[in-house]
Amino acid sequence: MNSHFTQYRPSKASAAGFWQQIGLPARGRRLHELLHEGVEYRVYPKLAKMSGIEQKSLARYVDIPSATLSRRAKSGRFKMAESDRLYRFAELFKAALDLFEGDADGARAWLLAPNIGLGGRRPVEMSATSAEYQTVLNLIGRLEHGVSA
């Protein structure tokens, strides 16, 4: 199998609008700078709303304890590692949204359901590490190209 079939490639047409709505650049130097500086807290509720996942649940999925989340709400900014996990979750949601052709309910349902291609794990639980995140993106890439999961 060619490796290009296993890689997720974001849809360019809808990418900009998604990232604008949550308040992050999609790619490039400014994104890298923001991740190092720490993503502003205001991105978090927008991401939760857009994904349709309750804020407390989202915090669990991205491995941010509730006490830490409260501190970040007060300080107004996440730490670099937390920002990276939030970005990975946003990427996963965006990829699922592309897979379901913009259907947020379908994307959310897919992310929340156990998946045989992930050994029975739920995709939403796999944004805490880069290896897990890449596994989900690869699965989405295979699904988009009709390769069995």
Side-chain angles (χ1 to χ4, degrees):
M1 173 171 58
N2 293 337
S3 64
H4 72 277
F5 284 114
T6 62
Q7 296 298 314
Y8 165 73
R9 288 186 172 68
S11 161
K12 291 179 184 167
S14 59
F18 172 83
W19 294 107
Q20 281 180 333
Q21 285 183 330
I22 64 169
L24 288 176
R27 302 265 182 274
R29 184 177 181 162
R30 185 62 191 135
L31 171 65
H32 304 162
E33 291 168 353
L34 283 173
L35 292 175
H36 279 272
E37 293 167 10
V39 169
E40 289 183 42
Y41 181 83
R42 66 180 176 77
V43 168
Y44 180 76
K46 290 178 183 180
L47 182 56
K49 182 178 181 181
M50 189 149 189
S51 67
I53 294 177
E54 184 204 49
Q55 289 189 34
K56 286 183 181 182
S57 296
L58 179 55
R60 243 186 0 265
Y61 299 138
V62 296
D63 196 29
I64 299 176
S66 58
T68 301
L69 189 61
S70 295
R71 285 194 304 276
R72 301 302 177 252
K74 290 176 186 166
S75 72
R77 193 171 293 280
F78 288 95
K79 301 284 185 190
M80 183 172 60
E82 298 157 349
S83 297
D84 189 47
R85 291 191 304 269
L86 285 169
Y87 175 76
R88 284 194 302 252
F89 174 83
E91 276 280 340
L92 289 182
F93 181 72
K94 175 68 173 83
L97 200 57
D98 289 348
L99 178 65
F100 284 85
E101 300 177 351
D103 176 4
D105 292 334
R108 181 176 45 260
W110 185 83
L111 286 169
L112 292 170
N115 190 295
I116 195 165
L118 301 172
R121 293 190 63 197
R122 298 175 339 155
V124 75
E125 297 169 339
M126 298 180 70
S127 61
T129 70
S130 58
E132 292 171 319
Y133 154 81
Q134 194 60 54
T135 298
V136 177
L137 286 184
N138 289 343
L139 174 61
I140 290 171
R142 290 193 312 269
L143 292 171
E144 284 184 329
H145 291 91
V147 179
S148 65

